Every structure is written in C-alpha cells, then in structure tokens.
C-alpha cells in the first residue's frame, strides 16, 4: 500500500499529557497538510508543509501544538498539555506539486480521546 | 475568508435512484478549485470529483457529475444509479489557487444513506 499512513490510529490520554502523532505521506509528494475533524464537522485546516518548510499555520494551531517535517519526508504533530477540547480526529494529507497538484490524498487519521 | 455551506445534514434514497447534494460557498477569489470528498464509515477520505473555477464545463466522473454555477457560487453533486457503496459522508471543499498553501476549506458534510 503506497497511500498516506498515520500512526497511531487511536490514542487515549489523560488531560495534561503530551501526545505525538506521525504521518507518512505518499513518497513523491512534496506537500503535506494536517487537519482536525471533530464529530459532526468537516475537517479544519491546521498547517501546511512544502518539503521541510512549514509555510502556513491556522489560527487553530495554538501554542500547545507543534508540527515538524524533518528532511521533507514524514511529519509529526505534537500536542502538549492536552485538554478535553483537543479530542478529535487528526487527519494528514499529501499532494504532489505537479500534475494534479491540488488533489489531496488523505490518511486514515488518528483519533485522539482526552480523558 | 472562505466559507462552504452544505444545507442537507442527511439524505436517504433507494438504491439505483439519482440524488443531488447541495453546496454553496462564499469567496472573493476569482481562481479556485472545488472538490467533493467521500468519507465512508471508519474509512479514509477519498476524492470523488474536482472542478477548476476557470472551466465552464461541468466535471463528470462515471456516475458522478457536478453542476457548477460560478455566479451563484453553487457546486452541487449528482450521483446517478446510486449504489449501496455510495453510503458515506460527503464533503464539499474549496481551495484557493495559490499553490495549495491554504489547505482545503470544508463544509459540515452531508450523510448520504443508500437504502437497499
């Protein structure tokens, strides 16, 4: 399977703990996106990477959130001091910069539950 | 800022019927892309169909077609000969034509149920 993968698929944590999620995009894709999806809503954009550079960050990405994409390959999203309001599905997507560059391919998501 | 509105939280039709999902959007951009994504239960989101705003011709992909009305800022999805596997959440999404840096803006989705 050469699609976008995310790990873990599910994470349960206690309020105040730190969590880290990983996304492995499709190998030739330069663009990588993180979204957050809460129950009954569409995904909301969090941040965008082109290669290793983080070029856009949404206002939703508070100071407790940090994302990296070292070497322009996989990406990590860390949430520090988790709150119950952070409970959501975190989706990663990737796309190429040429060809159908505006089509985003989504991973299965990481479902976070903060108790 | 862009907004995307899907006014039908849920729709249910019989297998083989045709169904139309509505989407309106608001933007001051003149160049952009519109998408319909499908999210089956417990499965990942996949692209159904896309439309470039500069193209007047409506996009079609097999049983799926759109009615793109740029002046009205309307982008509806028609599914013909619906199948049980079409049961899913459907999201309408907007993206500026700015190299993809802004990400997608999604609507709240329509839960489509195909009844046997």
């Amino acid at each position: 399977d050469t699609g976008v993968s995310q790990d873990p698929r599910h994470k349960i944590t206690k309020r105040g703990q730190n969590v880290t999620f990983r996304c492995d995009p499709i190998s030739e894709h330069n663009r990588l996106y993180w979204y957050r999806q809460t129950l009954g809503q569409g995904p909301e954009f969090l941040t965008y990477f082109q290669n290793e550079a983080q070029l856009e960050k949404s206002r939703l990405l508070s100071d407790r959130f940090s994302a990296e994409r070292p070497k322009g390959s996989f990406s990590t999203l860390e949430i520090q001091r988790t709150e119950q309001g952070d409970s959501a599905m975190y989706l990663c997507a990737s796309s190429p910069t040429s060809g159908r560059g505006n089509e985003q391919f989504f991973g299965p998501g990481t479902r976070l539950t903060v108790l | 800022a862009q907004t995307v509105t899907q006014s039908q939280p849920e729709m249910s039709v019989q297998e083989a019927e045709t169904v139309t999902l509505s989407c309106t959007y608001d933007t001051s951009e003149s160049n952009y892309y519109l998408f319909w994504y499908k999210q089956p239960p417990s499965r990942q989101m996949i692209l159904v169909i896309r439309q470039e705003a500069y193209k007047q011709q409506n996009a079609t992909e097999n049983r799926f077609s759109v009615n793109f009305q740029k002046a009205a800022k309307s982008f509806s999805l028609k599914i013909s000969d619906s199948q049980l596997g079409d049961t899913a959440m459907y999201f309408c999404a907007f993206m500026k034509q700015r190299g993809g840096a802004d990400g997608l803006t999604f609507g709240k989705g329509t839960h489509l149920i195909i009844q046997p």
Side-chain angles (χ1 to χ4, degrees):
Chain A
D1 185 14
T2 57
V4 178
S5 61
Q6 293 187 245
D7 183 70
R9 296 290 304 276
H10 303 273
K11 178 71 176 178
I12 300 173
T13 191
K14 293 183 179 179
R15 189 175 54 187
Q17 298 294 305
N18 298 345
V19 295
T20 300
F21 310 140
R22 176 179 171 127
C23 170
D24 286 89
I26 294 171
S27 58
E28 62 269 24
H29 287 183
N30 303 84
R31 298 175 177 172
L32 187 145
Y33 304 83
W34 284 98
Y35 294 86
R36 182 176 70 186
Q37 185 178 21
T38 54
L39 203 61
Q41 303 293 320
E44 296 172 292
F45 170 71
L46 292 178
T47 190
Y48 163 68
F49 289 85
Q50 178 148 338
N51 300 312
E52 67 277 8
Q54 187 176 19
L55 299 182
E56 287 289 336
K57 289 196 293 186
S58 161
R59 291 173 300 166
L60 294 175
L61 212 66
S62 76
D63 291 344
R64 297 184 297 105
F65 288 68
S66 63
E68 294 182 340
R69 193 183 181 194
K71 302 179 183 178
S73 55
F74 70 92
S75 176
T76 58
L77 177 68
E78 181 184 17
I79 309 174
Q80 295 183 327
R81 305 181 303 282
T82 53
E83 302 173 356
Q84 288 184 325
D86 296 331
S87 294
M89 177 76 84
Y90 290 84
L91 297 171
C92 176
S94 69
S95 71
T97 50
S98 60
R100 294 169 68 89
N102 47 50
E103 177 178 350
Q104 295 183 22
F105 295 80
F106 282 81
T110 294
R111 182 169 295 284
L112 173 66
T113 302
V114 182
L115 302 176
Chain B
Q2 285 65 234
T3 59
V4 177
T5 302
Q6 294 180 249
S7 58
Q8 304 149 314
E10 185 170 289
M11 295 187 71
S12 180
V13 298
Q14 296 294 121
E15 193 175 5
E17 289 184 346
T18 294
V19 60
T20 299
L21 308 184
S22 301
C23 172
T24 58
Y25 59 94
D26 190 24
T27 184
S28 57
E29 302 286 324
S30 55
N31 296 316
Y32 49 88
Y33 300 98
L34 294 164
F35 305 85
W36 280 97
Y37 276 88
K38 170 184 178 181
Q39 190 175 40
S42 301
R43 294 179 60 187
Q44 60 208 74
M45 197 167 310
I46 57 174
L47 179 67
V48 174
I49 197 165
R50 50 177 261 172
Q51 175 82 41
E52 291 89 344
Y54 64 86
K55 290 187 177 179
Q56 291 187 336
Q57 186 173 8
N58 289 326
T60 62
E61 290 283 348
N62 301 314
R63 299 183 294 108
F64 299 88
S65 61
V66 298
N67 183 0
F68 173 47
Q69 301 290 327
K70 190 173 184 179
K73 296 180 181 174
S74 170
F75 183 61
S76 61
L77 173 70
K78 185 171 83 171
I79 306 174
S80 303
D81 186 26
S82 57
Q83 301 174 359
L84 296 178
D86 295 332
T87 293
M89 285 293 294
Y90 286 80
F91 293 97
C92 178
F94 170 102
M95 189 170 76
K96 292 181 190 176
Q97 192 177 12
R98 197 171 75 86
D102 298 291
L104 292 160
T105 299
F106 286 88
K108 289 187 175 183
T110 295
H111 184 206
L112 177 64
I113 301 168
I114 308 298
Q115 305 276 9

